[in-house]
Amino acid sequence: MAEPADFRTPVKPVWCPGCGNFGILSALRGALADSGVEPHQVMIVSGIGCHGAVVQYVHVNGFHSIHGRTLPVATGIRLANHELKVIAVSGDGDGYGIGMGHFIHAMRRNLDITYIVHDNKLYSLTTGQTSPTSDKGSATKSTPFGSIEIAVNPLTLALSSGASFIARGFAGDPPHLRKLITEAIAHKGFSLIDVLQPCVTFNKVNTNDFYKERVYKLEDEGYEPVDKAAAYERAVEWNSRVPIGVIYKEDRATYEDEVVTIQDMPLVKRPVEGVDITRTMEQFM
Ligand code: SF4
């Protein structure tokens, strides 16, 4: 069985010292080991943003896609080869801004994809502009007098869009996040983990200390993530207390379960007979 170290690559992360991305990376490698998968059985797809480099730091198959298109690429990979564990990684700007339409449709389809969002409430790669999850009033490089828009709540959006596993993690608690990612990988269906990820360079409000003072674990309160109305109440909690843990989960058929053409075998294993694809291959290889 693979160990977390088996998912390391020789590439040294370029993230700023103290960035929450390090906690997420460590939790992800640990969760892969806990899931009992081998590196060749996993595909990670990332988008554009500080998170995007993650594909270079985890020793599995990787696809660094374009801005906001993490989920369409992950969808294509799942439909081509549903024997792969597909983990899509995004940021709040990439996933909830540019990729918002894809996010909603992937959830209602219930594709079997684990979606980890590094949510630092800013576009950080471009040096700190307001993102969809920036709170109203946030003073950023693009909103020096404070944002005048209310923030997107990814958890309530996921509840209303049909995600079958919805959780929130905190980058400052990698062991807890590791358990959440392991559970999400084991879940059959679309799983969202929105991760509170301090950006130490540009976000001076939502810091490590900010979250440490506020986060509490749902499981410590005996919360059972089975009721949508109760989940909604927890999902809107954002004050002196901020919940982390699994907010909601349900079992239902995945999109892949209902695509008749892939029931007997993955598309990539289907023999291509009577069709000459030489020219197509030459064009793309
Ligand atoms: Fe992390 Fe922010 Fe630095 Fe990006 S800019 S690597 S999110 S601390």
Side-chain angles (χ1 to χ4, degrees):
M1 199 167 118
E3 296 290 324
D6 296 319
F7 294 98
R8 282 181 176 274
T9 69
V11 185
K12 201 167 176 297
V14 293
W15 296 319
C16 309
C19 174
N21 287 344
F22 287 99
I24 304 174
L25 177 62
S26 150
L28 175 58
R29 287 185 183 134
L32 287 169
D34 295 345
S35 300
V37 291
E38 297 294 328
H40 71 276
Q41 298 171 315
V42 182
M43 168 66 87
I44 293 184
V45 184
S46 68
I48 299 300
C50 293
H51 76 277
V54 70
V55 294
Q56 299 173 46
Y57 311 145
V58 185
H59 176 55
V60 294
N61 302 289
F63 192 128
H64 194 164
S65 71
I66 55 175
H67 217 347
R69 311 298 173 227
T70 309
L71 286 172
V73 172
T75 299
I77 292 166
R78 272 295 298 172
L79 293 179
N81 186 0
H82 60 279
E83 289 179 349
L84 279 174
K85 282 278 175 204
V86 177
I87 298 173
V89 184
S90 196
D92 45 303
D94 188 65
Y96 302 147
I98 292 137
M100 175 61 99
H102 303 303
F103 178 46
I104 292 171
H105 294 299
M107 290 190 283
R108 73 185 179 86
R109 291 177 184 134
N110 200 30
L111 286 143
D112 192 357
I113 291 171
T114 303
Y115 192 36
I116 301 170
V117 182
H118 296 217
D119 187 352
N120 57 33
K121 294 174 168 282
L122 285 177
Y123 281 93
S124 291
L125 187 67
T126 48
T127 69
Q129 293 81 11
T130 299
S131 87
T133 54
S134 303
D135 290 319
K136 186 171 184 192
S138 301
T140 72
K141 194 170 271 185
S142 58
T143 55
F145 304 113
S147 167
I148 56 175
E149 299 166 339
I150 62 164
V152 162
N153 183 326
L155 304 180
T156 55
L157 190 63
L159 281 166
S160 59
S161 302
S164 55
F165 182 103
I166 303 166
R168 180 193 277 138
F170 170 40
D173 188 346
H176 183 254
L177 181 58
R178 176 175 173 164
K179 282 190 204 146
L180 287 181
I181 299 175
T182 306
E183 201 177 332
I185 290 173
H187 175 75
K188 199 164 171 282
F190 190 93
S191 49
L192 166 71
I193 306 177
D194 181 73
V195 186
L196 306 172
Q197 177 245 314
C199 166
V200 294
T201 302
F202 296 111
N203 192 331
K204 303 298 181 189
V205 175
N206 306 111
T207 60
N208 245 308
D209 287 343
F210 173 94
Y211 288 124
K212 277 190 176 150
E213 284 163 16
R214 290 167 175 79
V215 295
Y216 75 94
K217 293 179 182 139
L218 287 164
E219 58 272 29
D220 288 351
E221 303 201 345
Y223 175 80
E224 291 290 336
V226 292
D227 177 72
K228 268 201 177 178
Y232 192 90
E233 278 179 28
R234 300 289 181 153
V236 295
E237 207 176 356
W238 188 268
N239 42 50
S240 58
R241 280 163 52 86
V242 172
I244 57 173
V246 182
I247 300 238
Y248 181 73
K249 64 179 173 182
E250 68 181 28
D251 291 325
R252 74 169 206 270
T254 65
Y255 189 81
E256 297 90 318
D257 285 338
E258 307 209 31
V259 177
V260 289
T261 47
I262 60 172
Q263 294 312 307
D264 53 343
M265 70 177 78
L267 280 184
V268 289
K269 292 193 175 165
R270 192 176 288 278
V272 181
E273 286 161 3
V275 180
D276 184 2
I277 60 166
T278 318
R279 282 190 59 204
T280 309
M281 293 298 280
E282 280 170 0
Q283 207 177 339
F284 289 104
M285 302 297 279

